[in-house]
Amino acid sequence: MIKKYWNIYKVFWRTSLARELEFRANFLAKIGINIIWIGFYVISVAILFNNTASIGTWTKGDVYILAAFFTFVEAIAYTIFVRNTQEIAEMIRNGNFDGILLRPVNTQFLASLRFVSFDELGTLIGSLAMFIYGLSQSHASINFRQILLALAFVGIGLIIFYCFAMTITIMVFWFIKLDNIRVLMTSTLQLVRFPADVLPTVIRRILVVVLPISFISTIPTQALLGRNIEPWAGVGVIISLSLFIGVKLFWDYALKAYSSASS
Amino acid sequence: MDTIINIKNLTKIYRTRKKLPGIGGALKGLFSRQYTETKAVDNISLTVEQGELVGFLGPNGAGKTTTLKMLSGILYPTNGDINVLGFNPTKRPIELRKQFALVMGNKQQLWWDLPARESFILLQALYEVPEEKFNSRLKEMAKLLDVEKLLDKQVRNLSLGERMKLELIAALLHDPKVIFLDEPTLGLDVVAQQKLREFIRHYNQQYKTTILLTSHYMEDIKALCKRVVIIDKGKIVYDGDINKLSSEQSETKTIKATFGQTIKPIALKKYGNIRSLSNQVFEIDIPKSKLQSRLSRLLKDFDVTDLTITETDIADVLRQLFTH
């Protein structure tokens, strides 16, 4: 079973890459543009820290690591599923979603993972560069356990991102057009650009257990640098995993509604 | 022989929102919505045996596509039972999805920017087709449809006819036991239509695959199907041998008469519906009940040198049926 899906997933990568390479100039331009965006961010952080040595307990190196985490999670999310969730909305609108329903594999797997987007390759390279630079500037001592914990939280962050993107997409089954809500999601996610502990406590807690986007940047950074991790993070992990199951149930429910309503 | 498709008392009712005209109507619609119900499929029953190639006919909006979509599990029926290959498509079991194919002439499944071969490889993975079988089937079908050279060309660079052939291969790669073909020849020229038709016939005979075909081109149906099911306003109005359709359902017979002299069409109007083939040869559709009397009058009034009586053409019979 897992082998079957793994084989299919490898073919998704293969076809997506073949398609990407059809448009070589576009591909290279996108990498360039992403690196420039990261460059802007790096410069603005550098200017900020020219005037002060730290913000709260965060030094310049720490902030670069934080930025590396959220650009990394965002880039991975765009690579593996964000574009698919937008595509699902489009397919529901034009009726091509029927074709997805016919394939003999899990429909959610196929619909949300079938295109791999290489648009964010530049961002990935940029986030890696920021990460290395941030580490070189940071005074924290890092051990293997901290790295593993940070990676586990990045995984949770990705699951949360997936749940958000899918929830909005699933609503399209009923409302057809929801572009504005998608904008709301993108703006909400901007919050992860700041270390959560500079925010008021109430908002901090909300970002761990209600809208658990702290898992996208703050918490992995705290884990990696051996700092105190956001309170309630354990609850947040359980909530995030439940959210994932919730999204699956919501999806199944939406498919039923789609099949009994659409023409 | 095995029954492949079994439909009992199938009904589908669509509920659509009523839109009131104008801005006032649109605003009203934001708060209170009114719905109308449309019966797309109305209590139909049907069985199809293994290896049959059944033509599904009907005007636009008759319920053909809705029925095919319910058979595929895309739509849930409002009422009634469906069984395809022993499964209930409404539950969309993966085992069933592996064994059938739905081809829609107006939808495409091939990746637009890639050569068809890439899409085929993706389908191979999705349907778990073993490498050897995949290669031999692809080779065979590509040869039959004469598209071997097109497999590695980007789909966006192909003509509609070429693309449709590749779409058909894509749908058949996994060796489905049942195929639903919804308007496969839509928009194709006569040569491409002919080629596709030949392929479908050959495929049905070779593999004993059960095929349900809808088409607006009577030529498709006449060339391929022994049995036709005619559906109108959601109801089955005829289910049987295509060759008996005219004799059983037509209200008219068609006579072809050659006259000794030039005739003005207007002079023949009172005998029935006329089509002039030349100014001496005419086809006339005469109601069956009045055939004898009108024919004897025609022979008395005119100098008829040749006369044949045939069944009215199927396309005309359908027109009679649907305009009732």
Side-chain angles (χ1 to χ4, degrees), chain A residues 150-202:
Chain A
L151 284 177
F153 284 131
V154 164
I156 299 283
L158 276 170
I159 289 174
I160 290 161
F161 207 139
Y162 179 82
C163 292
F164 277 0
M166 282 299 277
T167 305
I168 291 171
T169 294
I170 294 169
M171 290 197 280
V172 176
F173 281 101
W174 290 276
F175 301 114
I176 307 298
K177 217 165 159 74
L178 280 177
D179 296 352
N180 293 318
I181 295 194
R182 216 177 279 287
V183 173
L184 185 68
M185 175 185 91
T186 324
S187 337
T188 310
L189 282 172
Q190 295 306 314
L191 279 175
V192 303
R193 289 172 175 263
F194 307 104
D197 42 6
V198 304
L199 298 169
T201 312
V202 178

Short mmCIF file of all heavy atoms in Angstrom, two decimals, chain A residues 150-202:
data_model
loop_
_atom_site.label_atom_id
_atom_site.label_comp_id
_atom_site.label_asym_id
_atom_site.label_seq_id
_atom_site.Cartn_x
_atom_site.Cartn_y
_atom_site.Cartn_z
N ALA A 150 13.66 20.15 16.38
CA ALA A 150 13.31 21.25 15.47
C ALA A 150 12.68 20.71 14.19
O ALA A 150 11.66 21.21 13.71
CB ALA A 150 14.56 22.07 15.14
N LEU A 151 13.26 19.64 13.65
CA LEU A 151 12.72 19.05 12.42
C LEU A 151 11.31 18.50 12.64
O LEU A 151 10.43 18.64 11.79
CB LEU A 151 13.65 17.93 11.91
CG LEU A 151 14.92 18.41 11.21
CD1 LEU A 151 15.79 17.22 10.82
CD2 LEU A 151 14.57 19.25 9.98
N ALA A 152 11.10 17.87 13.82
CA ALA A 152 9.77 17.35 14.12
C ALA A 152 8.76 18.49 14.14
O ALA A 152 7.65 18.36 13.60
CB ALA A 152 9.79 16.63 15.45
N PHE A 153 9.14 19.64 14.73
CA PHE A 153 8.22 20.78 14.77
C PHE A 153 7.99 21.36 13.38
O PHE A 153 6.88 21.82 13.07
CB PHE A 153 8.74 21.86 15.73
CG PHE A 153 8.54 21.51 17.19
CD1 PHE A 153 9.58 21.62 18.10
CD2 PHE A 153 7.30 21.07 17.64
CE1 PHE A 153 9.39 21.31 19.44
CE2 PHE A 153 7.10 20.75 18.98
CZ PHE A 153 8.15 20.86 19.88
N VAL A 154 9.02 21.32 12.54
CA VAL A 154 8.83 21.76 11.15
C VAL A 154 7.76 20.89 10.48
O VAL A 154 6.88 21.37 9.77
CB VAL A 154 10.16 21.70 10.36
CG1 VAL A 154 9.90 21.77 8.86
CG2 VAL A 154 11.06 22.86 10.77
N GLY A 155 7.82 19.57 10.77
CA GLY A 155 6.81 18.65 10.23
C GLY A 155 5.41 19.05 10.68
O GLY A 155 4.48 19.12 9.89
N ILE A 156 5.29 19.37 11.99
CA ILE A 156 3.99 19.81 12.51
C ILE A 156 3.57 21.10 11.81
O ILE A 156 2.41 21.26 11.40
CB ILE A 156 4.08 20.06 14.04
CG1 ILE A 156 4.46 18.77 14.78
CG2 ILE A 156 2.79 20.64 14.57
CD1 ILE A 156 3.34 17.78 14.94
N GLY A 157 4.53 22.01 11.61
CA GLY A 157 4.24 23.28 10.93
C GLY A 157 3.68 23.03 9.53
O GLY A 157 2.71 23.68 9.12
N LEU A 158 4.27 22.07 8.83
CA LEU A 158 3.80 21.76 7.48
C LEU A 158 2.39 21.18 7.51
O LEU A 158 1.55 21.51 6.67
CB LEU A 158 4.75 20.74 6.82
CG LEU A 158 5.97 21.35 6.15
CD1 LEU A 158 6.96 20.27 5.75
CD2 LEU A 158 5.56 22.15 4.92
N ILE A 159 2.13 20.33 8.50
CA ILE A 159 0.79 19.74 8.61
C ILE A 159 -0.24 20.85 8.84
O ILE A 159 -1.31 20.86 8.23
CB ILE A 159 0.75 18.71 9.76
CG1 ILE A 159 1.54 17.47 9.34
CG2 ILE A 159 -0.70 18.34 10.12
CD1 ILE A 159 1.70 16.43 10.43
N ILE A 160 0.11 21.82 9.70
CA ILE A 160 -0.82 22.92 9.96
C ILE A 160 -1.07 23.73 8.69
O ILE A 160 -2.20 24.07 8.35
CB ILE A 160 -0.26 23.82 11.08
CG1 ILE A 160 -0.31 23.06 12.39
CG2 ILE A 160 -1.03 25.12 11.18
CD1 ILE A 160 0.60 23.62 13.43
N PHE A 161 -0.01 24.01 7.98
CA PHE A 161 -0.11 24.75 6.73
C PHE A 161 -1.05 24.01 5.78
O PHE A 161 -1.96 24.59 5.16
CB PHE A 161 1.28 24.87 6.10
CG PHE A 161 1.47 26.07 5.22
CD1 PHE A 161 2.65 26.80 5.27
CD2 PHE A 161 0.48 26.46 4.34
CE1 PHE A 161 2.85 27.90 4.46
CE2 PHE A 161 0.66 27.56 3.52
CZ PHE A 161 1.85 28.27 3.59
N TYR A 162 -0.85 22.70 5.67
CA TYR A 162 -1.68 21.87 4.80
C TYR A 162 -3.14 21.96 5.22
O TYR A 162 -4.03 22.13 4.38
CB TYR A 162 -1.18 20.42 4.87
CG TYR A 162 -1.98 19.44 4.03
CD1 TYR A 162 -1.72 19.30 2.67
CD2 TYR A 162 -2.97 18.65 4.60
CE1 TYR A 162 -2.44 18.39 1.90
CE2 TYR A 162 -3.69 17.74 3.84
CZ TYR A 162 -3.42 17.61 2.50
OH TYR A 162 -4.13 16.71 1.73
N CYS A 163 -3.38 21.86 6.51
CA CYS A 163 -4.76 21.90 7.01
C CYS A 163 -5.44 23.23 6.67
O CYS A 163 -6.59 23.25 6.26
CB CYS A 163 -4.80 21.66 8.51
SG CYS A 163 -4.33 19.99 8.96
N PHE A 164 -4.70 24.32 6.83
CA PHE A 164 -5.27 25.63 6.49
C PHE A 164 -5.63 25.70 5.01
O PHE A 164 -6.74 26.05 4.63
CB PHE A 164 -4.26 26.74 6.79
CG PHE A 164 -4.26 27.17 8.21
CD1 PHE A 164 -5.11 26.57 9.12
CD2 PHE A 164 -3.42 28.18 8.65
CE1 PHE A 164 -5.12 26.95 10.45
CE2 PHE A 164 -3.41 28.58 9.97
CZ PHE A 164 -4.27 27.96 10.86
N ALA A 165 -4.65 25.36 4.18
CA ALA A 165 -4.86 25.46 2.74
C ALA A 165 -6.02 24.57 2.30
O ALA A 165 -6.86 24.97 1.49
CB ALA A 165 -3.59 25.09 2.00
N MET A 166 -6.08 23.38 2.87
CA MET A 166 -7.15 22.45 2.47
C MET A 166 -8.52 22.90 2.97
O MET A 166 -9.51 22.78 2.26
CB MET A 166 -6.85 21.05 2.99
CG MET A 166 -5.82 20.31 2.17
SD MET A 166 -6.33 20.07 0.45
CE MET A 166 -7.35 18.62 0.60
N THR A 167 -8.57 23.42 4.19
CA THR A 167 -9.86 23.85 4.72
C THR A 167 -10.48 24.90 3.82
O THR A 167 -11.66 24.83 3.46
CB THR A 167 -9.70 24.40 6.15
OG1 THR A 167 -9.06 23.41 6.93
CG2 THR A 167 -11.04 24.74 6.77
N ILE A 168 -9.65 25.86 3.41
CA ILE A 168 -10.16 26.90 2.53
C ILE A 168 -10.61 26.29 1.20
O ILE A 168 -11.68 26.60 0.68
CB ILE A 168 -9.09 27.98 2.30
CG1 ILE A 168 -8.88 28.74 3.60
CG2 ILE A 168 -9.50 28.93 1.20
CD1 ILE A 168 -7.71 29.68 3.57
N THR A 169 -9.80 25.38 0.69
CA THR A 169 -10.15 24.75 -0.57
C THR A 169 -11.45 23.96 -0.48
O THR A 169 -12.29 24.03 -1.37
CB THR A 169 -9.01 23.81 -1.00
OG1 THR A 169 -7.88 24.61 -1.28
CG2 THR A 169 -9.38 23.01 -2.22
N ILE A 170 -11.62 23.24 0.60
CA ILE A 170 -12.81 22.39 0.73
C ILE A 170 -14.07 23.25 0.74
O ILE A 170 -15.10 22.85 0.20
CB ILE A 170 -12.71 21.51 1.98
CG1 ILE A 170 -11.58 20.50 1.82
CG2 ILE A 170 -14.01 20.76 2.22
CD1 ILE A 170 -11.21 19.74 3.09
N MET A 171 -13.95 24.45 1.29
CA MET A 171 -15.14 25.31 1.31
C MET A 171 -15.59 25.68 -0.10
O MET A 171 -16.75 25.99 -0.33
CB MET A 171 -14.87 26.55 2.15
CG MET A 171 -14.76 26.19 3.63
SD MET A 171 -14.92 27.60 4.70
CE MET A 171 -13.30 28.29 4.60
N VAL A 172 -14.65 25.60 -1.05
CA VAL A 172 -15.01 25.90 -2.43
C VAL A 172 -16.08 24.95 -2.96
O VAL A 172 -16.87 25.30 -3.83
CB VAL A 172 -13.75 25.85 -3.34
CG1 VAL A 172 -14.12 26.07 -4.79
CG2 VAL A 172 -12.75 26.89 -2.89
N PHE A 173 -16.15 23.75 -2.41
CA PHE A 173 -17.19 22.81 -2.85
C PHE A 173 -18.58 23.43 -2.70
O PHE A 173 -19.49 23.12 -3.44
CB PHE A 173 -17.12 21.51 -2.04
CG PHE A 173 -16.05 20.57 -2.49
CD1 PHE A 173 -14.85 20.47 -1.80
CD2 PHE A 173 -16.24 19.78 -3.61
CE1 PHE A 173 -13.86 19.58 -2.21
CE2 PHE A 173 -15.26 18.89 -4.03
CZ PHE A 173 -14.06 18.79 -3.33
N TRP A 174 -18.74 24.29 -1.71
CA TRP A 174 -20.05 24.93 -1.52
C TRP A 174 -20.09 26.35 -2.06
O TRP A 174 -21.10 26.79 -2.57
CB TRP A 174 -20.40 24.97 -0.03
CG TRP A 174 -20.71 23.62 0.52
CD1 TRP A 174 -21.92 22.98 0.45
CD2 TRP A 174 -19.82 22.74 1.20
NE1 TRP A 174 -21.82 21.76 1.04
CE2 TRP A 174 -20.56 21.56 1.53
CE3 TRP A 174 -18.48 22.81 1.58
CZ2 TRP A 174 -20.00 20.49 2.20
CZ3 TRP A 174 -17.94 21.74 2.25
CH2 TRP A 174 -18.68 20.59 2.56
N PHE A 175 -18.99 27.08 -1.96
CA PHE A 175 -19.07 28.51 -2.26
C PHE A 175 -18.46 28.91 -3.59
O PHE A 175 -18.50 30.06 -3.97
CB PHE A 175 -18.43 29.32 -1.13
CG PHE A 175 -19.07 29.07 0.20
CD1 PHE A 175 -18.38 28.45 1.21
CD2 PHE A 175 -20.40 29.42 0.41
CE1 PHE A 175 -18.98 28.18 2.44
CE2 PHE A 175 -21.01 29.17 1.62
CZ PHE A 175 -20.30 28.55 2.65
N ILE A 176 -17.83 27.92 -4.28
CA ILE A 176 -17.28 28.14 -5.62
C ILE A 176 -16.15 29.15 -5.70
O ILE A 176 -15.09 28.88 -6.21
CB ILE A 176 -18.38 28.50 -6.67
CG1 ILE A 176 -19.50 27.45 -6.63
CG2 ILE A 176 -17.80 28.60 -8.06
CD1 ILE A 176 -19.08 26.04 -6.98
N LYS A 177 -16.33 30.35 -5.15
CA LYS A 177 -15.26 31.33 -5.27
C LYS A 177 -14.88 31.86 -3.90
O LYS A 177 -15.72 32.39 -3.18
CB LYS A 177 -15.71 32.48 -6.18
CG LYS A 177 -14.60 32.99 -7.05
CD LYS A 177 -15.15 33.85 -8.17
CE LYS A 177 -14.10 34.76 -8.72
NZ LYS A 177 -13.09 34.19 -9.54
N LEU A 178 -13.61 31.70 -3.53
CA LEU A 178 -13.20 32.10 -2.18
C LEU A 178 -11.83 32.78 -2.19
O LEU A 178 -11.08 32.65 -1.24
CB LEU A 178 -13.13 30.86 -1.28
CG LEU A 178 -14.45 30.35 -0.72
CD1 LEU A 178 -14.21 29.09 0.08
CD2 LEU A 178 -15.12 31.39 0.15
N ASP A 179 -11.52 33.47 -3.27
CA ASP A 179 -10.19 34.06 -3.40
C ASP A 179 -9.84 34.96 -2.22
O ASP A 179 -8.70 35.03 -1.79
CB ASP A 179 -10.08 34.83 -4.71
CG ASP A 179 -10.24 33.89 -5.89
OD1 ASP A 179 -10.28 32.67 -5.65
OD2 ASP A 179 -10.34 34.37 -7.03
N ASN A 180 -10.84 35.67 -1.70
CA ASN A 180 -10.57 36.62 -0.62
C ASN A 180 -10.15 35.93 0.66
O ASN A 180 -9.31 36.43 1.39
CB ASN A 180 -11.80 37.48 -0.36
CG ASN A 180 -12.07 38.36 -1.54
OD1 ASN A 180 -11.15 38.93 -2.11
ND2 ASN A 180 -13.31 38.44 -1.96
N ILE A 181 -10.75 34.77 0.92
CA ILE A 181 -10.37 34.04 2.13
C ILE A 181 -8.92 33.56 2.00
O ILE A 181 -8.17 33.53 2.96
CB ILE A 181 -11.34 32.87 2.38
CG1 ILE A 181 -12.70 33.46 2.68
CG2 ILE A 181 -10.85 32.02 3.53
CD1 ILE A 181 -13.68 32.51 3.25
N ARG A 182 -8.55 33.22 0.77
CA ARG A 182 -7.17 32.78 0.54
C ARG A 182 -6.19 33.93 0.87
O ARG A 182 -5.14 33.70 1.47
CB ARG A 182 -7.00 32.35 -0.91
CG ARG A 182 -6.07 31.18 -1.06
CD ARG A 182 -6.01 30.75 -2.50
NE ARG A 182 -7.15 29.92 -2.87
CZ ARG A 182 -7.30 28.67 -2.48
NH1 ARG A 182 -6.40 28.10 -1.70
NH2 ARG A 182 -8.34 27.96 -2.85
N VAL A 183 -6.57 35.15 0.51
CA VAL A 183 -5.74 36.31 0.83
C VAL A 183 -5.62 36.44 2.35
O VAL A 183 -4.54 36.70 2.89
CB VAL A 183 -6.33 37.60 0.22
CG1 VAL A 183 -5.55 38.81 0.70
CG2 VAL A 183 -6.31 37.51 -1.29
N LEU A 184 -6.74 36.21 3.04
CA LEU A 184 -6.74 36.28 4.51
C LEU A 184 -5.74 35.28 5.09
O LEU A 184 -5.00 35.59 6.01
CB LEU A 184 -8.15 35.99 5.03
CG LEU A 184 -8.35 36.13 6.54
CD1 LEU A 184 -8.22 37.58 6.95
CD2 LEU A 184 -9.69 35.56 6.97
N MET A 185 -5.71 34.08 4.51
CA MET A 185 -4.77 33.07 4.99
C MET A 185 -3.33 33.55 4.81
O MET A 185 -2.52 33.49 5.72
CB MET A 185 -4.96 31.75 4.25
CG MET A 185 -3.91 30.71 4.64
SD MET A 185 -3.98 29.16 3.72
CE MET A 185 -2.87 29.49 2.38
N THR A 186 -3.05 34.07 3.61
CA THR A 186 -1.69 34.52 3.33
C THR A 186 -1.29 35.62 4.30
O THR A 186 -0.16 35.63 4.80
CB THR A 186 -1.60 35.03 1.88
OG1 THR A 186 -2.44 34.22 1.07
CG2 THR A 186 -0.19 34.96 1.35
N SER A 187 -2.22 36.53 4.60
CA SER A 187 -1.86 37.63 5.51
C SER A 187 -1.67 37.11 6.93
O SER A 187 -0.76 37.54 7.63
CB SER A 187 -2.94 38.72 5.54
OG SER A 187 -3.71 38.69 4.40
N THR A 188 -2.53 36.19 7.35
CA THR A 188 -2.38 35.62 8.69
C THR A 188 -1.01 34.97 8.84
O THR A 188 -0.34 35.11 9.87
CB THR A 188 -3.47 34.56 8.94
OG1 THR A 188 -4.73 35.11 8.59
CG2 THR A 188 -3.47 34.13 10.40
N LEU A 189 -0.59 34.31 7.78
CA LEU A 189 0.69 33.61 7.85
C LEU A 189 1.86 34.57 7.99
O LEU A 189 2.95 34.18 8.40
CB LEU A 189 0.86 32.72 6.62
CG LEU A 189 0.07 31.41 6.69
CD1 LEU A 189 0.14 30.68 5.38
CD2 LEU A 189 0.59 30.52 7.81
N GLN A 190 1.64 35.85 7.67
CA GLN A 190 2.72 36.82 7.82
C GLN A 190 3.15 36.95 9.28
O GLN A 190 4.26 37.36 9.57
CB GLN A 190 2.30 38.19 7.27
CG GLN A 190 2.04 38.21 5.78
CD GLN A 190 3.20 37.68 4.98
OE1 GLN A 190 4.35 38.03 5.23
NE2 GLN A 190 2.91 36.78 4.04
N LEU A 191 2.24 36.60 10.19
CA LEU A 191 2.54 36.68 11.62
C LEU A 191 3.76 35.84 11.99
O LEU A 191 4.44 36.12 12.97
CB LEU A 191 1.34 36.20 12.44
CG LEU A 191 0.22 37.20 12.66
CD1 LEU A 191 -0.93 36.54 13.38
CD2 LEU A 191 0.74 38.39 13.48
N VAL A 192 4.02 34.77 11.19
CA VAL A 192 5.13 33.89 11.57
C VAL A 192 6.49 34.53 11.30
O VAL A 192 7.52 33.98 11.64
CB VAL A 192 5.07 32.53 10.84
CG1 VAL A 192 3.75 31.83 11.12
CG2 VAL A 192 5.30 32.68 9.35
N ARG A 193 6.48 35.72 10.69
CA ARG A 193 7.74 36.39 10.45
C ARG A 193 8.34 36.98 11.74
O ARG A 193 9.49 37.38 11.76
CB ARG A 193 7.56 37.53 9.45
CG ARG A 193 7.31 37.01 8.05
CD ARG A 193 6.93 38.12 7.11
NE ARG A 193 6.82 37.60 5.77
CZ ARG A 193 7.78 37.67 4.86
NH1 ARG A 193 8.92 38.26 5.15
NH2 ARG A 193 7.60 37.17 3.67
N PHE A 194 7.50 37.06 12.80
CA PHE A 194 7.99 37.63 14.05
C PHE A 194 8.15 36.53 15.09
O PHE A 194 7.36 35.61 15.12
CB PHE A 194 7.01 38.68 14.57
CG PHE A 194 6.67 39.71 13.55
CD1 PHE A 194 5.44 39.67 12.88
CD2 PHE A 194 7.59 40.70 13.21
CE1 PHE A 194 5.14 40.61 11.93
CE2 PHE A 194 7.28 41.65 12.25
CZ PHE A 194 6.05 41.61 11.60
N PRO A 195 9.16 36.65 15.94
CA PRO A 195 9.26 35.69 17.04
C PRO A 195 8.05 35.86 17.94
O PRO A 195 7.71 37.00 18.30
CB PRO A 195 10.53 36.11 17.78
CG PRO A 195 11.11 37.28 17.05
CD PRO A 195 10.23 37.65 15.94
N ALA A 196 7.38 34.75 18.27
CA ALA A 196 6.11 34.86 18.99
C ALA A 196 6.27 35.52 20.36
O ALA A 196 5.36 36.14 20.85
CB ALA A 196 5.48 33.48 19.14
N ASP A 197 7.46 35.40 20.98
CA ASP A 197 7.56 35.94 22.34
C ASP A 197 7.68 37.46 22.39
O ASP A 197 7.74 38.02 23.47
CB ASP A 197 8.65 35.23 23.17
CG ASP A 197 9.91 34.98 22.36
OD1 ASP A 197 9.97 35.45 21.22
OD2 ASP A 197 10.82 34.31 22.88
N VAL A 198 7.66 38.15 21.26
CA VAL A 198 7.56 39.61 21.33
C VAL A 198 6.09 40.03 21.32
O VAL A 198 5.76 41.19 21.48
CB VAL A 198 8.31 40.33 20.18
CG1 VAL A 198 9.77 39.90 20.16
CG2 VAL A 198 7.64 40.10 18.84
N LEU A 199 5.17 39.07 21.11
CA LEU A 199 3.75 39.39 21.04
C LEU A 199 3.10 39.31 22.42
O LEU A 199 3.63 38.66 23.31
CB LEU A 199 3.05 38.39 20.09
CG LEU A 199 3.53 38.38 18.64
CD1 LEU A 199 2.95 37.18 17.92
CD2 LEU A 199 3.15 39.67 17.94
N PRO A 200 1.93 39.95 22.61
CA PRO A 200 1.20 39.85 23.89
C PRO A 200 0.84 38.38 24.18
O PRO A 200 0.60 37.62 23.24
CB PRO A 200 -0.08 40.66 23.65
CG PRO A 200 0.19 41.49 22.45
CD PRO A 200 1.24 40.82 21.66
N THR A 201 0.78 38.04 25.46
CA THR A 201 0.60 36.64 25.86
C THR A 201 -0.64 36.00 25.23
O THR A 201 -0.57 34.86 24.77
CB THR A 201 0.49 36.55 27.39
OG1 THR A 201 1.56 37.30 27.94
CG2 THR A 201 0.60 35.11 27.85
N VAL A 202 -1.76 36.73 25.22
CA VAL A 202 -2.99 36.14 24.69
C VAL A 202 -2.79 35.68 23.24
O VAL A 202 -3.12 34.56 22.87
CB VAL A 202 -4.16 37.14 24.77
CG1 VAL A 202 -5.42 36.52 24.19
CG2 VAL A 202 -4.38 37.59 26.19
#
